[in-house]
Amino acid sequence: MDLERINRFVSDVEKSIKSPAHAVKGEEYLTGVDLGTSYIVIVVLDSKRNPVACDMEYAEVVKDGLVVDFTGASNIVRRLKRNIEERTGIELTKAAIAVPPGTGKRDADAHRYVVEGAGLNVTAILDEPTAANSVLNITDGVVVDIGGGTTGLSIFENGRPVYTADEPTGGVHLSLVIAGQYRISFDEAEKLKKTKERQKEIFNVVRPVIQKMASIIRKHIKSFKVDTVYLVGGTCCLEGFENVIEKETGIKTVKPSNPLLITPIGIALNCSDKEGD
Ligand SMILES: Nc1ncnc2c1ncn2[C@@H]1O[C@H](COP(=O)(O)OP(=O)(O)OP(=O)(O)O)[C@@H](O)[C@H]1O
Ligand SMILES: [Mg+2]
């Protein structure tokens, strides 16, 4: 894994949020839609995997990986799609999507219908940590995707996933603890958690929750030979998050520069060139 190259790639995707590329005639575009508990994210790449556009919206339409507000979710995807189309001149026709590991067919279909309802042909449904590994390209180790509501985990050996799991814990729990500690609303706690100047103080409040997340990782990897933990998902954005995981698991822990974008980018990388499925 080449962390420098990954960080450059992610930073180019970040730049495309403000400055998207413009349509090139005859170009095939790859789209990834990540329907998360906290964010719905769309990433568009060109056929050479160059970042083209990215947009996201905070939303509470998915809970623990399950769609709970179908119309709301579809409306957000449609809005994000239209905004990107207006800014780039590209017509988005197809997309890959991802669900937490172990999601049943019926729930995965709900994700598919949300995205199809927004006018995108779904070309692939992946599991989230596997999507993330399309960016990381690790052959051995564990990819842990700590999002808003879920922690997904995939262990890789010789480049293949040998174990996946999903646990109902994520950034929402950090925010609930912050809300309780400061006696503020959940929305205020979400904001406070992301305030750079308060990160040190906040970190002390949420450390026990992060330690609990580390113990969940430890529990899942205990029967495997894992020498590196790779952290993705927005919750890992917290400064120093990786240090707690490394200390508690005793395993080398690696975190890319913007962990929130890794899974959405990985989903886009898996949008096949063929339409339909
Ligand atoms: N800078 C930040 N510092 C701390 N937490 C952050 C930061 N940015 C985002 N988060 C948290 O990351 C979480 C969202 O991450 P992500 O987008 O990976 O989750 P999701 O895909 O929406 O959810 P899930 O995968 O669980 O369905 C939220 O809890 C959010 O508060
Ligand atoms: Mg996610």
Side-chain angles (χ1 to χ4, degrees):
M1 196 204 58
D2 180 348
L3 193 59
E4 254 180 56
R5 186 190 59 78
I6 292 166
N7 286 342
R8 266 199 311 274
F9 184 32
V10 175
S11 143
D12 286 344
V13 174
E14 272 176 335
K15 285 181 198 145
S16 79
I17 298 175
K18 275 215 172 105
S19 320
H22 292 286
V24 173
K25 220 169 171 238
E27 178 64 86
E28 280 264 358
Y29 293 97
L30 309 175
T31 304
V33 179
D34 187 352
L35 293 179
T37 306
S38 301
Y39 287 97
I40 295 190
V41 187
I42 297 194
V43 170
V44 182
L45 308 171
D46 69 16
S47 57
K48 295 200 179 65
R49 313 320 198 218
N50 296 309
V52 171
C54 174
D55 204 355
M56 67 183 84
E57 203 172 298
Y58 186 85
E60 289 175 356
V61 291
V62 172
K63 287 237 156 27
D64 301 343
L66 306 179
V67 178
V68 291
D69 176 2
F70 183 89
T71 311
S74 222
N75 286 343
I76 293 172
V77 176
R78 192 176 302 111
R79 187 156 59 232
L80 290 170
K81 171 183 181 287
R82 197 170 47 222
N83 284 347
I84 289 179
E85 288 180 332
E86 279 171 5
R87 296 181 72 199
T88 60
I90 296 165
E91 191 198 347
L92 303 177
T93 55
K94 58 180 182 176
I97 61 172
V99 293
T103 302
K105 171 143 182 13
R106 194 191 290 225
D107 292 321
D109 277 344
H111 281 244
R112 168 199 286 272
Y113 300 145
V114 163
V115 175
E116 290 187 341
L120 289 160
N121 208 340
V122 171
T123 57
I125 304 182
L126 308 142
D127 86 70
E128 289 170 348
T130 304
N133 197 34
S134 299
V135 180
L136 303 174
N137 277 314
I138 64 152
T139 50
D140 296 276
V142 63
V143 176
V144 184
D145 182 346
I146 311 181
T150 60
T151 292
L153 178 153
S154 258
I155 300 173
F156 290 85
E157 283 176 7
N158 301 314
R160 309 188 71 86
V162 292
Y163 176 85
T164 57
D166 197 56
E167 294 269 1
T169 182
V172 166
H173 300 97
L174 270 65
S175 300
L176 287 172
V177 168
I178 294 168
Q181 172 75 21
Y182 292 95
R183 300 179 189 280
I184 54 177
S185 71
F186 179 82
D187 290 345
E188 287 168 321
E190 267 289 314
K191 231 183 249 147
L192 180 57
K193 185 174 72 174
K194 294 175 217 159
T195 308
K196 265 216 153 3
E197 304 73 54
R198 305 280 296 273
Q199 292 258 304
K200 272 217 174 78
E201 170 196 346
I202 296 300
F203 204 84
N204 286 328
V205 175
V206 297
R207 190 187 305 273
V209 190
I210 304 173
Q211 285 169 332
K212 179 80 187 13
M213 288 168 171
S215 78
I216 289 171
I217 299 172
R218 212 172 39 218
K219 175 185 89 185
H220 283 286
I221 63 177
K222 71 171 187 294
S223 354
F224 296 87
K225 223 180 122 271
V226 169
D227 63 3
T228 315
V229 175
Y230 297 90
L231 292 177
V232 304
T235 294
C236 306
C237 288
L238 274 181
E239 217 181 297
F241 191 98
E242 63 279 22
N243 301 334
V244 176
I245 301 292
E246 182 162 287
K247 183 156 180 263
E248 297 291 320
T249 58
I251 298 173
K252 183 184 158 203
T253 300
V254 174
K255 176 174 95 171
S257 60
N258 186 349
L260 191 141
L261 285 178
I262 301 293
T263 302
I265 296 172
I267 298 172
L269 284 171
N270 284 282
C271 176
S272 74
D273 291 341
K274 279 190 278 101
E275 296 207 3
D277 59 335

